[in-house]
Amino acid sequence: MSLPLIGELKSSNVIVRHPANPILAPADVPYSPALVFNAGVAKFQGKYVMVFRNDYGDPVNKTLLPGSTTNLGLAYSDDGIKWDVQPGPCFGLNDEEIVRTYDPRLTVIDGRVYMCFAVDTKHGVRGGIAVTDDFEHFEVLSMTAPDNRNMVLFPEKVGGRYVRLERPFPVYSRGGQDRFDMWISDSPDLKYWGNTELLLAVEQVPFANDKLGPAAPPIKTDKGWLTLFHAVDRDPSRGKNGWEATWKKRYTAGIMLLDLENPYKVIGMSREPLLAPEAVYEKDEGFRTNVIFPGGMILEDSGEVKIYYGAADTVECLATAHVDDLLALCLK
């Protein structure tokens, strides 16, 4: 089946890329990863904290080491812009079954930091949830069955239950193609999950033809849960576009609003991307060009929203907008 092609996409005019971008690059990390991206970011105990993905290899020759070398790094900041990177990785799972751990998402719930992460295993991709109080000791609370990932947690219970967004991989039920959607589940204890329902499908997003899923954990506003998602369009005519022999996809960021009391209900969604690859470090340079993947979103007291995103699967960046403008995009 041929895909409906999607032409040029532009970022919303309410979003501003930070002039210091990229705010974290491989050169900023003392243990020399080749790629640093797809970070989770939260405010915790008076500081901004970032847990980021490290991939290792040779950026000069544009090659990566096996995935088993991937792990997660840690950095702190007073302003959310300049980061103090810690001297070594903070988390990684590797054993006879687990190949690598990656793509962290951070949510603070009742004074503790919960981290969702993806795990490649020899028998499929799994999503995990861990909790930490110090980023030195992590307790893994649950792991999904294959294949599921891109999980994010809501920052508080809704109706007495924890809620998460996720992106399973239903290959057979979607015609054997790379076409994945966003789902939602809830839990009484962060360990056992159910009440799973489809939340947003590819065909409902005008700027996606391939897949979509969660991005950063939602933030609470008086009008609803402000929620980012990643959206992917694929065009067979695209060329090399990065380190790999071929890369046909473009990743953009969308935004929608979920009901406060029933987050299974979408109140509104922007029909255009919030962020599309436009800057050099998003569309022209890096491991996989034309990629934007948000992993953190922080609402400041001033109404400013900080959006942290991986660019080109290579560096970590920051964009900002006012919360009222983001809500207006979802509701117009």
Side-chain angles (χ1 to χ4, degrees), residues 104 212 232 250:
L212 53 86
V232 183
R250 172 176 52 188

Side-chain angles (χ1 to χ4, degrees), residues 99-156:
V99 178
R100 64 172 179 170
T101 312
Y102 57 102
D103 288 1
R105 306 287 179 260
L106 303 181
T107 306
V108 179
I109 306 175
D110 296 332
R112 306 190 77 193
V113 179
Y114 292 83
M115 182 175 75
C116 296
F117 55 92
V119 178
D120 285 351
T121 79
K122 294 179 180 178
H123 297 87
V125 181
R126 304 178 71 186
I129 300 174
V131 62
T132 184
D133 299 304
D134 56 12
F135 296 95
E136 295 180 8
H137 307 91
F138 291 84
E139 178 188 0
V140 177
L141 301 176
S142 65
M143 298 279 288
T144 69
D147 283 304
N148 199 353
R149 71 173 184 188
N150 296 129
M151 303 186 320
V152 299
L153 293 173
F154 284 63
E156 62 183 63

Side-chain angles (χ1 to χ4, degrees), residues 69-274:
T69 61
T70 298
N71 53 35
L72 304 183
L74 176 66
Y76 294 100
S77 175
D78 293 323
D79 60 6
I81 301 167
K82 298 178 181 178
W83 293 89
D84 177 20
V85 180
Q86 301 306 289
C90 69
F91 187 81
L93 299 176
N94 298 97
D95 58 26
E96 292 182 355
E97 171 65 14
I98 294 174
V99 178
R100 64 172 179 170
T101 312
Y102 57 102
D103 288 1
R105 306 287 179 260
L106 303 181
T107 306
V108 179
I109 306 175
D110 296 332
R112 306 190 77 193
V113 179
Y114 292 83
M115 182 175 75
C116 296
F117 55 92
V119 178
D120 285 351
T121 79
K122 294 179 180 178
H123 297 87
V125 181
R126 304 178 71 186
I129 300 174
V131 62
T132 184
D133 299 304
D134 56 12
F135 296 95
E136 295 180 8
H137 307 91
F138 291 84
E139 178 188 0
V140 177
L141 301 176
S142 65
M143 298 279 288
T144 69
D147 283 304
N148 199 353
R149 71 173 184 188
N150 296 129
M151 303 186 320
V152 299
L153 293 173
F154 284 63
E156 62 183 63
K157 291 182 179 179
V158 183
R161 298 179 70 86
Y162 298 97
V163 184
R164 79 179 181 197
L165 306 177
E166 56 200 5
R167 195 199 75 187
F169 294 63
V171 175
Y172 290 111
S173 64
R174 294 289 267 161
Q177 49 185 325
D178 186 19
R179 193 171 177 87
F180 311 128
D181 312 289
M182 188 189 304
W183 293 67
I184 185 169
S185 300
D186 63 34
S187 169
D189 56 7
L190 291 167
K191 294 183 179 181
Y192 300 100
W193 293 85
N195 297 321
T196 304
E197 293 186 13
L198 176 67
L199 181 67
L200 189 68
V202 172
E203 58 268 24
Q204 294 174 285
V205 179
F207 47 95
N209 67 10
D210 186 77
K211 58 185 174 181
L212 53 86
I219 58 176
K220 189 177 187 180
T221 74
D222 59 355
K223 290 184 171 58
W225 294 103
L226 196 58
T227 306
L228 294 170
F229 59 91
H230 69 272
V232 183
D233 72 281
R234 179 159 47 95
D235 185 340
S237 69
R238 291 185 182 129
K240 187 172 182 298
N241 297 325
W243 294 14
E244 297 176 307
T246 181
W247 179 245
K248 307 299 185 183
K249 299 176 183 179
R250 172 176 52 188
Y251 278 67
T252 59
I255 191 162
M256 63 180 175
L257 194 64
L258 307 179
D259 188 84
L260 275 181
E261 297 181 0
N262 178 19
Y264 285 68
K265 177 183 178 182
V266 179
I267 296 175
M269 180 189 73
S270 174
R271 307 299 292 176
E272 299 176 350
L274 179 66

Side-chain angles (χ1 to χ4, degrees), residues 31-97:
Y31 42 89
S32 302
L35 312 172
V36 169
F37 62 110
N38 286 8
V41 185
K43 268 187 168 179
F44 181 62
Q45 296 181 347
K47 282 184 174 289
Y48 297 84
V49 60
M50 176 190 292
V51 177
F52 53 88
R53 171 177 171 172
N54 296 302
D55 283 18
Y56 297 84
D58 182 354
V60 175
N61 293 310
K62 298 182 178 180
T63 58
L64 287 180
L65 294 174
S68 58
T69 61
T70 298
N71 53 35
L72 304 183
L74 176 66
Y76 294 100
S77 175
D78 293 323
D79 60 6
I81 301 167
K82 298 178 181 178
W83 293 89
D84 177 20
V85 180
Q86 301 306 289
C90 69
F91 187 81
L93 299 176
N94 298 97
D95 58 26
E96 292 182 355
E97 171 65 14

